[in-house]
PDB file of all heavy atoms in Angstrom:
ATOM      1  N   SER A 125      10.273   7.238  -2.707  1.00  0.00           N
ATOM      2  CA  SER A 125      10.668   8.090  -3.830  1.00  0.00           C
ATOM      3  C   SER A 125      10.930   7.253  -5.083  1.00  0.00           C
ATOM      4  O   SER A 125      11.467   6.144  -5.004  1.00  0.00           O
ATOM      5  CB  SER A 125      11.919   8.891  -3.470  1.00  0.00           C
ATOM      6  OG  SER A 125      13.011   8.033  -3.216  1.00  0.00           O
ATOM      7  N   GLY A 126      10.522   7.809  -6.229  1.00  0.00           N
ATOM      8  CA  GLY A 126      10.766   7.149  -7.505  1.00  0.00           C
ATOM      9  C   GLY A 126       9.818   6.007  -7.830  1.00  0.00           C
ATOM     10  O   GLY A 126       9.922   5.411  -8.904  1.00  0.00           O
ATOM     11  N   HIS A 127       8.891   5.676  -6.936  1.00  0.00           N
ATOM     12  CA  HIS A 127       7.964   4.571  -7.169  1.00  0.00           C
ATOM     13  C   HIS A 127       6.627   5.083  -7.691  1.00  0.00           C
ATOM     14  O   HIS A 127       6.315   6.265  -7.606  1.00  0.00           O
ATOM     15  CB  HIS A 127       7.746   3.783  -5.872  1.00  0.00           C
ATOM     16  CG  HIS A 127       8.920   2.938  -5.487  1.00  0.00           C
ATOM     17  ND1 HIS A 127       8.792   1.720  -4.857  1.00  0.00           N
ATOM     18  CD2 HIS A 127      10.255   3.122  -5.647  1.00  0.00           C
ATOM     19  CE1 HIS A 127       9.984   1.202  -4.645  1.00  0.00           C
ATOM     20  NE2 HIS A 127      10.881   2.028  -5.110  1.00  0.00           N
ATOM     21  N   ARG A 128       5.839   4.142  -8.205  1.00  0.00           N
ATOM     22  CA  ARG A 128       4.490   4.448  -8.692  1.00  0.00           C
ATOM     23  C   ARG A 128       3.484   3.568  -7.953  1.00  0.00           C
ATOM     24  O   ARG A 128       3.767   2.408  -7.647  1.00  0.00           O
ATOM     25  CB  ARG A 128       4.381   4.189 -10.194  1.00  0.00           C
ATOM     26  CG  ARG A 128       5.360   4.989 -11.047  1.00  0.00           C
ATOM     27  CD  ARG A 128       5.285   4.560 -12.496  1.00  0.00           C
ATOM     28  NE  ARG A 128       5.641   3.152 -12.651  1.00  0.00           N
ATOM     29  CZ  ARG A 128       5.361   2.414 -13.719  1.00  0.00           C
ATOM     30  NH1 ARG A 128       4.679   2.948 -14.730  1.00  0.00           N
ATOM     31  NH2 ARG A 128       5.730   1.162 -13.785  1.00  0.00           N
ATOM     32  N   TYR A 129       2.294   4.117  -7.716  1.00  0.00           N
ATOM     33  CA  TYR A 129       1.267   3.389  -6.975  1.00  0.00           C
ATOM     34  C   TYR A 129      -0.104   3.654  -7.596  1.00  0.00           C
ATOM     35  O   TYR A 129      -0.412   4.776  -8.007  1.00  0.00           O
ATOM     36  CB  TYR A 129       1.204   3.848  -5.512  1.00  0.00           C
ATOM     37  CG  TYR A 129       2.484   3.706  -4.740  1.00  0.00           C
ATOM     38  CD1 TYR A 129       3.454   4.710  -4.771  1.00  0.00           C
ATOM     39  CD2 TYR A 129       2.733   2.582  -3.946  1.00  0.00           C
ATOM     40  CE1 TYR A 129       4.634   4.594  -4.045  1.00  0.00           C
ATOM     41  CE2 TYR A 129       3.911   2.466  -3.223  1.00  0.00           C
ATOM     42  CZ  TYR A 129       4.856   3.463  -3.279  1.00  0.00           C
ATOM     43  OH  TYR A 129       6.019   3.358  -2.557  1.00  0.00           O
ATOM     44  N   VAL A 130      -0.910   2.623  -7.626  1.00  0.00           N
ATOM     45  CA  VAL A 130      -2.340   2.784  -7.900  1.00  0.00           C
ATOM     46  C   VAL A 130      -3.050   2.858  -6.550  1.00  0.00           C
ATOM     47  O   VAL A 130      -2.867   1.979  -5.702  1.00  0.00           O
ATOM     48  CB  VAL A 130      -2.896   1.608  -8.726  1.00  0.00           C
ATOM     49  CG1 VAL A 130      -4.410   1.715  -8.864  1.00  0.00           C
ATOM     50  CG2 VAL A 130      -2.237   1.586 -10.108  1.00  0.00           C
ATOM     51  N   LEU A 131      -3.831   3.898  -6.339  1.00  0.00           N
ATOM     52  CA  LEU A 131      -4.528   4.100  -5.073  1.00  0.00           C
ATOM     53  C   LEU A 131      -6.015   3.810  -5.248  1.00  0.00           C
ATOM     54  O   LEU A 131      -6.660   4.334  -6.158  1.00  0.00           O
ATOM     55  CB  LEU A 131      -4.341   5.535  -4.573  1.00  0.00           C
ATOM     56  CG  LEU A 131      -2.905   6.037  -4.448  1.00  0.00           C
ATOM     57  CD1 LEU A 131      -2.880   7.436  -3.845  1.00  0.00           C
ATOM     58  CD2 LEU A 131      -2.053   5.085  -3.633  1.00  0.00           C
ATOM     59  N   MET A 132      -6.530   2.966  -4.371  1.00  0.00           N
ATOM     60  CA  MET A 132      -7.953   2.629  -4.367  1.00  0.00           C
ATOM     61  C   MET A 132      -8.500   2.787  -2.957  1.00  0.00           C
ATOM     62  O   MET A 132      -7.781   2.539  -1.982  1.00  0.00           O
ATOM     63  CB  MET A 132      -8.167   1.200  -4.871  1.00  0.00           C
ATOM     64  CG  MET A 132      -7.831   1.011  -6.332  1.00  0.00           C
ATOM     65  SD  MET A 132      -8.019  -0.709  -6.890  1.00  0.00           S
ATOM     66  CE  MET A 132      -6.447  -1.372  -6.340  1.00  0.00           C
ATOM     67  N   THR A 133      -9.754   3.177  -2.838  1.00  0.00           N
ATOM     68  CA  THR A 133     -10.358   3.388  -1.532  1.00  0.00           C
ATOM     69  C   THR A 133     -11.818   2.961  -1.543  1.00  0.00           C
ATOM     70  O   THR A 133     -12.439   2.820  -2.599  1.00  0.00           O
ATOM     71  CB  THR A 133     -10.323   4.873  -1.113  1.00  0.00           C
ATOM     72  OG1 THR A 133     -11.197   5.616  -1.980  1.00  0.00           O
ATOM     73  CG2 THR A 133      -8.931   5.450  -1.191  1.00  0.00           C
ATOM     74  N   ASP A 134     -12.342   2.755  -0.366  1.00  0.00           N
ATOM     75  CA  ASP A 134     -13.793   2.715  -0.157  1.00  0.00           C
ATOM     76  C   ASP A 134     -14.038   3.458   1.155  1.00  0.00           C
ATOM     77  O   ASP A 134     -13.720   2.959   2.232  1.00  0.00           O
ATOM     78  CB  ASP A 134     -14.314   1.284  -0.079  1.00  0.00           C
ATOM     79  CG  ASP A 134     -15.835   1.237  -0.116  1.00  0.00           C
ATOM     80  OD1 ASP A 134     -16.487   2.307  -0.050  1.00  0.00           O
ATOM     81  OD2 ASP A 134     -16.396   0.130  -0.229  1.00  0.00           O
ATOM     82  N   VAL A 135     -14.538   4.674   1.045  1.00  0.00           N
ATOM     83  CA  VAL A 135     -14.746   5.534   2.207  1.00  0.00           C
ATOM     84  C   VAL A 135     -16.235   5.556   2.530  1.00  0.00           C
ATOM     85  O   VAL A 135     -17.055   5.989   1.716  1.00  0.00           O
ATOM     86  CB  VAL A 135     -14.239   6.963   1.944  1.00  0.00           C
ATOM     87  CG1 VAL A 135     -14.463   7.840   3.174  1.00  0.00           C
ATOM     88  CG2 VAL A 135     -12.771   6.939   1.555  1.00  0.00           C
ATOM     89  N   VAL A 136     -16.581   5.075   3.712  1.00  0.00           N
ATOM     90  CA  VAL A 136     -17.965   5.091   4.177  1.00  0.00           C
ATOM     91  C   VAL A 136     -18.151   6.345   5.031  1.00  0.00           C
ATOM     92  O   VAL A 136     -17.427   6.551   6.016  1.00  0.00           O
ATOM     93  CB  VAL A 136     -18.294   3.829   4.995  1.00  0.00           C
ATOM     94  CG1 VAL A 136     -19.734   3.880   5.491  1.00  0.00           C
ATOM     95  CG2 VAL A 136     -18.070   2.582   4.149  1.00  0.00           C
ATOM     96  N   TYR A 137     -19.105   7.180   4.646  1.00  0.00           N
ATOM     97  CA  TYR A 137     -19.308   8.440   5.350  1.00  0.00           C
ATOM     98  C   TYR A 137     -20.806   8.708   5.502  1.00  0.00           C
ATOM     99  O   TYR A 137     -21.650   8.090   4.843  1.00  0.00           O
ATOM    100  CB  TYR A 137     -18.653   9.595   4.588  1.00  0.00           C
ATOM    101  CG  TYR A 137     -19.349   9.970   3.297  1.00  0.00           C
ATOM    102  CD1 TYR A 137     -20.279  11.004   3.252  1.00  0.00           C
ATOM    103  CD2 TYR A 137     -19.084   9.283   2.114  1.00  0.00           C
ATOM    104  CE1 TYR A 137     -20.928  11.351   2.070  1.00  0.00           C
ATOM    105  CE2 TYR A 137     -19.717   9.607   0.932  1.00  0.00           C
ATOM    106  CZ  TYR A 137     -20.635  10.653   0.910  1.00  0.00           C
ATOM    107  OH  TYR A 137     -21.286  10.971  -0.251  1.00  0.00           O
TER     108      TYR A 137
END
Side-chain angles (χ1 to χ4, degrees):
S125 62
H127 287 214
R128 301 174 299 163
Y129 302 86
V130 174
L131 306 184
M132 293 177 278
T133 68
D134 190 352
V135 180
V136 179
Y137 71 96

